[in-house]
Amino acid sequence: MTLREDLERLAERGDPFGADHVYAAAAEDAKWHTLPLQEEASGSSPSRRRRWAITGAAAAIALVAAVGIGALVGARHERTPVAATGTAPNDDATVGPAPTATSETATTTVRTPSADDPPVLAGDGPYPVAWGDKSGWIDSADPPVDSEGIPAPIPVNDEHGNQIGWWVGQLGWVDLETMSDPNYDYRAEYRELNAIAMAAQARRG
Amino acid sequence: VGDASGNAGTGASDAEVFRSIYPLLRRFAAVTASQDVDPDDLVQEALAATLARGPLSGLDHPAAYLRRCIINLEANHRRSRSRARTRERLSGIPAIEHPIYPSDLDDLAALEPRQRAILYLFEVEGWPFARIAELLDEDEATVRRRATTARRQLKLSIEEGTSR
């Protein structure tokens, strides 16, 4: 069997769900990522942390890409945080090579990914994370979730390995002082954000 | 924010755009993705990230844009369980089990995603290396080198398999 025939077989693997199902599911995911501020249930202005969580959802998408690209960069020994992601259309790390380029200019010890690199595996950190004007590293990109599906917080470290914050899936960066506040419950915030998203989705039909 | 914010008119247009490019994106994802990743998950993830930025109709080359998203996302090797659940809920169809493939496809699967993407675009879709390089944001020489390395790896695996 020729290489072309093998590739054709690989291209046909699995059972396609179909364009309409995939589009509907992606559009729903995108709604979650782009939840507008006015969908807040209360009339009060959202907290800075929550505002970051809502408007910074694109940064969470960028994190997903940065995780893989950052691991490929391979700066294991001399950690260099990746710069914060912006909001311009071309800043999307899902598409652009920005994290790699940034890291390459930050230190001379960083090497360029090559075809000979081993595949990147989930959990094989550290991974760069960026949120607003903050940046740091996490050691796992695949945190355990509880029975409600809420991900456990992951420590965010600086380039020296000192913890500078927490990372919670969907919520993003949580400051150390916020997390240690006895009145703060990240699970409650996660549930609240999820409820807002669901309500917004229901209103849109 | 385009269609993702609920603009019905744009949404209809985007759905049509996506419908027209879905088959080629799905095939590309099937080749690029690791065997434990559902190609539709990868397509969906790339589309969701794109829609969160704006409508597909706002892109000059939505297929190329999504292909690049797919290959970058695949590098993450992150299974998208929540997306599978969303699709399952929307369609009522349970998520598919990942099948085991014969050994000749295992050789292909052992390659890096970018290598598979390059071989697929060159061998099956007939793209010149210059165009593949543009898609992957790499120079043509690098793409050629990746293709050569991939062929060498495949040859080695086949020879090893034959000698066993």
Side-chain angles (χ1 to χ4, degrees), chain B residues 137-155:
Chain B
D137 196 29
E138 291 181 339
D139 59 55
E140 189 176 339
T142 302
V143 171
R144 285 182 183 276
R145 181 177 56 78
R146 285 185 189 276
T148 303
T149 306
R151 289 176 192 282
R152 196 180 298 131
Q153 283 180 231
L154 282 174
K155 184 170 179 289

Side-chain angles (χ1 to χ4, degrees), chain A residues 132-190:
Chain A
D133 57 353
K134 299 167 184 286
S135 61
W137 296 84
I138 57 174
D139 282 326
S140 169
D142 195 12
V145 297
D146 64 17
S147 57
E148 289 183 68
I150 300 174
I154 306 170
V156 182
N157 298 323
D158 63 14
E159 63 269 37
H160 305 296
N162 302 317
Q163 187 176 356
I164 53 176
W166 292 93
W167 187 273
V168 181
Q170 301 289 5
L171 296 182
W173 194 293
V174 181
D175 293 325
L176 289 173
E177 53 270 31
T178 303
M179 190 62 92
S180 60
D181 183 345
N183 296 318
Y184 176 72
D185 180 356
Y186 78 91
R187 288 186 178 84
E189 185 174 16
Y190 190 99

